[in-house]
Amino acid sequence: MLEKSMRSVMYLLLALSMSACVQVNTEIAKAETQLAISSVHDRELLLDQNSTFAFTPLQQNEHGAVFSMVTAEIEMFLKQKGFQQVTPEQQPTFYIGYILEREDELSDEQLSETFGLNPGLPDLPELEKGTMLIFVLDGESKQFVWRAAAQGFVLDDLDAELKKLRLQQVVHSTLSQFNNK
């Protein structure tokens, strides 16, 4: 009888420990898809069907776009909204730029101090945070019109198609908050 009770207790403990492991993995999987976005409009910019944009010089080097997938996704979003891309020399209505940073390169405190935004994605020791900063500058004054910070967890092991879908989600969710048009 005692042996049967001990065996039952052991099975119960084994089942509980297995369910606890599954629960932790589920929580990490849910956290991996989290996205936190914060944005602010600094000044009004009148935009219409003739509005044009150009990327800031930060986005290019002698080899072309620094992060070609990000540049292409932002370009596609803005063109779908009816904006025409021009070169910086053609005096665009607005400039757009972005910066990508990992948690070890830019802490939440540094993000708040330098960019004035902090989306507030929680720190998880198992996952590394990544931040995409996107900003719009007035074409004439070159002063901030709008800026946003999107934070998610860096998932380096995704296949190419999932990376593209995740990038689309981040860019579209973030730029949707730039609602001057």
Side-chain angles (χ1 to χ4, degrees):
M1 181 77 166
L2 181 63
E3 186 176 317
K4 186 175 180 181
S5 293
M6 288 296 285
R7 196 174 303 148
S8 296
V9 169
M10 292 298 284
Y11 287 132
L12 179 63
L13 288 174
L14 180 63
L16 285 174
S17 68
M18 288 174 60
S19 67
C21 291
V22 171
Q23 192 171 21
V24 169
N25 290 338
T26 302
E27 286 182 20
I28 290 174
K30 285 181 187 176
E32 287 178 347
T33 62
Q34 287 182 350
L35 182 63
I37 302 171
S38 180
S39 69
V40 64
H41 284 270
D42 293 306
R43 62 179 29 89
E44 193 68 27
L45 179 65
L46 299 176
L47 301 173
D48 59 27
Q49 69 273 9
N50 297 316
S51 296
T52 58
F53 74 94
F55 283 94
T56 66
L58 288 173
Q59 277 48 76
Q60 291 196 7
N61 62 26
E62 65 274 3
H63 305 292
V66 176
F67 296 103
S68 57
M69 286 179 58
V70 176
T71 300
E73 197 59 44
I74 292 172
E75 185 177 305
M76 185 178 72
F77 181 90
L78 293 175
K79 286 180 176 179
Q80 286 175 347
K81 292 294 181 183
F83 300 118
Q84 181 183 354
Q85 185 174 6
V86 297
T87 64
E89 295 77 29
Q90 292 175 298
Q91 298 181 335
T93 308
F94 67 92
Y95 292 93
I96 189 156
Y98 63 88
I99 301 169
L100 303 176
E101 297 286 347
R102 288 182 177 248
E103 186 174 23
D104 60 344
E105 299 166 331
L106 183 70
S107 70
D108 286 346
E109 295 77 26
Q110 291 169 318
L111 178 61
S112 292
E113 288 173 17
T114 59
F115 208 64
L117 295 171
N118 184 354
L121 189 69
D123 289 321
L124 294 177
E126 304 88 5
L127 298 170
E128 180 185 12
K129 268 196 291 194
T131 303
M132 176 185 284
L133 306 169
I134 300 179
F135 55 92
V136 171
L137 305 173
D138 182 289
E140 287 183 37
S141 69
K142 310 235 183 351
Q143 293 186 358
F144 281 113
V145 170
W146 175 83
R147 52 202 155 95
Q151 284 183 327
F153 293 106
V154 178
L155 305 174
D156 289 325
D157 56 344
L158 292 179
D159 65 39
E161 186 62 31
L162 287 175
K163 279 184 183 181
K164 182 176 180 173
L165 289 173
R166 181 138 167 101
L167 175 62
Q168 286 174 338
Q169 177 197 13
V170 172
V171 168
H172 289 244
S173 296
T174 305
L175 285 176
S176 291
Q177 294 188 20
F178 176 56
N179 56 7
N180 269 341
K181 183 172 185 189

